Amino acid sequence: MMRMVYYVLVAAQLLLCSSIVNADAVMDLWTKGQTALDAQLAKGDLTNGEKSNYINAVLCLTQKPSKLNPGRYPGARTRYDDFVAVHMNQTLNIHGTGNFLSWHRYFTWMYEQTLRNECGYNGTQPYWNWGRWAADPETSPIFDGSMLSMSGNGQKTTHQGMMVTGNGGGCVTSGPFKNMTVNLGPMSPAISPAPPTNPQRDGFGYNPRCLRRDISNQLSSRYSRTQDIVNLITSSTGIAAFQNSLQSSAPVGVHVAGHFTISGDPGGDFYTSPGDPAFWLHHGMIDRTWTIWQMQDLANRQQVIAGGTSMMGFGSKAQSLDDNIDLDVVGQKVYKIRDLVSIVDGPFCYYYA
């Protein structure tokens, strides 16, 4: 029987920056203990208790009140909704742009920090290793519907002309998020039948409905296998090639493949996708993949970006390392992109198990 596992991003608690161990005697002690640390990290999997703690923290976030202005964002009822609203507001300036990777790195990190600071979570942010379950994601421990999963598929529905369809499409019926309410959007739903239209054109009206999923292997079995991840990392010599391949829809890149492996409402909606709790595991893996790519040539792959400032190209200019990334009410501070593209001297200094 397959063991219930997630993969885990070991964040700021493991401070591996060179400045921390700067004396020979201290380095000797670090080296002495590193074997045991590496062995523990190699296991990679969260225990059942760690999974439960993570799930409970996410559920806690869905019960805490929003910090957004209710006059501007009447549909944002919970602290979890705040993350969805921030993503909606900035969607067209954080995809297909020079800040895509750095923006989502900060966004995912702040989600982890909010789970810690506001919901008492003391673990780390898991990531979803796409390749391990690419052939059959629905039976993976992430989506098997158990109480230690991120909940399972949606109820089987009749699909109407959708290109990527699975065995679900309706309300999630199992696992810890089966009663989760989606409040914002839709904006660009990629599911049929479509969810009810939001009462506001900007998608910020109050539109409560069930979390829907349509998990399938149509894309994962072809585009997010382990060999696809390896090929992305090893064949992309520059940042433009790497991020363009990662985000591509033709041919399908791992970013698109991950989102449409989950699909559903709001997971398959370009604007509101963080409304599905599995989003954070997906983007944890996006950042892990970028980090591994950076590590292949650390000296030349940190302070590099490529692309403009607008996905649509209207009024776009070349993205600069000195451009700001501001996450509004879910951010800790405003960072320069140059701060966030560094995995050694940046503000997070984390380590992937």
Side-chain angles (χ1 to χ4, degrees):
M1 183 176 182
M2 184 180 293
R3 185 179 172 213
M4 305 296 186
V5 292
Y6 294 159
Y7 284 81
V8 62
L9 157 59
V10 181
Q13 292 69 41
L14 294 177
L15 298 177
L16 304 182
C17 301
S18 59
S19 60
I20 295 172
V21 282
N22 54 13
D24 289 346
V26 176
M27 182 61 79
D28 289 344
L29 292 173
W30 170 263
T31 302
K32 180 180 178 181
Q34 189 172 10
T35 301
L37 175 63
D38 288 345
Q40 180 64 33
L41 293 179
K43 296 178 181 178
D45 306 333
L46 288 134
T47 66
N48 287 347
E50 289 168 335
K51 295 176 195 175
S52 181
N53 289 341
Y54 178 77
I55 290 165
N56 288 337
V58 176
L59 290 171
C60 161
L61 213 61
T62 67
Q63 300 301 313
K64 288 191 171 292
S66 170
K67 295 185 178 181
L68 287 166
N69 180 346
R72 173 74 176 86
Y73 305 94
R77 301 301 175 93
T78 71
R79 189 68 170 128
Y80 190 96
D81 290 338
D82 290 353
F83 283 86
V84 182
V86 167
H87 189 272
M88 290 170 67
N89 254 337
Q90 301 189 39
T91 287
L92 297 181
N93 299 109
I94 57 172
H95 296 91
T97 51
N99 65 0
F100 168 76
L101 292 166
S102 53
W103 192 96
H104 284 85
R105 171 174 283 177
Y106 184 23
F107 192 51
T108 305
W109 187 81
M110 275 311 308
Y111 181 72
E112 178 185 353
Q113 301 313 302
T114 305
L115 293 177
R116 291 171 173 279
N117 298 333
E118 300 182 26
C119 285
Y121 181 56
N122 60 5
T124 52
Q125 173 59 44
Y127 64 84
W128 163 22
N129 188 341
W130 311 302
R132 185 166 181 179
W133 295 288
D136 192 6
E138 193 175 348
T139 62
S140 77
I142 299 176
F143 299 116
D144 66 7
S146 71
M147 291 307 293
L148 292 176
S149 71
M150 299 306 293
S151 279
N153 209 347
Q155 187 175 18
K156 178 67 176 178
T157 61
T158 301
H159 300 89
Q160 301 170 3
M162 301 301 291
M163 292 180 60
V164 180
T165 59
N167 295 318
C171 298
V172 169
T173 60
S174 60
F177 302 103
K178 67 179 181 180
N179 294 318
M180 184 173 178
T181 300
V182 177
N183 293 323
L184 295 166
M187 289 291 288
S188 182
I191 193 168
S192 177
T197 303
N198 195 277
Q200 293 186 191
R201 291 187 63 185
D202 60 10
F204 294 125
Y206 183 47
N207 192 23
R209 58 201 188 276
C210 68
L211 173 67
R212 293 168 61 187
R213 284 210 186 121
D214 196 14
I215 299 171
S216 81
N217 72 347
Q218 289 189 33
L219 296 186
S220 64
S221 62
R222 299 171 61 192
Y223 301 112
S224 58
R225 301 162 298 177
T226 297
Q227 60 261 44
D228 299 313
I229 306 166
V230 170
N231 183 60
L232 170 66
I233 293 169
T234 58
S235 66
S236 305
T237 57
I239 184 62
F242 174 78
Q243 67 183 28
N244 290 344
S245 296
L246 183 146
Q247 294 183 82
S248 175
S249 57
V252 175
V254 293
H255 177 242
V256 171
H259 277 296
F260 283 94
T261 294
I262 306 168
S263 195
D265 173 40
D269 188 316
F270 186 49
Y271 291 79
T272 60
S273 54
D276 187 317
F279 171 95
W280 307 99
L281 279 69
H282 175 46
H283 270 275
M285 184 62 180
I286 291 287
D287 194 72
R288 176 180 183 245
T289 303
W290 178 31
T291 299
I292 295 171
W293 179 84
Q294 290 182 293
M295 291 168 62
Q296 306 313 297
D297 186 2
L298 202 58
N300 298 307
R301 292 188 177 181
Q302 292 190 92
Q303 294 298 316
V304 290
I305 60 173
T309 57
S310 170
M311 176 183 174
M312 306 304 292
F314 303 125
S316 182
K317 62 178 182 178
Q319 195 91 62
S320 165
L321 287 167
D322 289 316
D323 288 344
N324 291 330
I325 291 183
D326 184 353
L327 298 185
D328 197 10
V329 297
V330 302
Q332 187 177 68
K333 59 178 289 186
V334 176
Y335 283 108
K336 301 287 187 186
I337 291 177
R338 70 170 61 256
D339 297 326
L340 304 178
V341 296
S342 175
I343 58 175
V344 176
D345 299 317
F348 306 150
C349 194
Y350 49 74
Y351 189 92
Y352 278 93

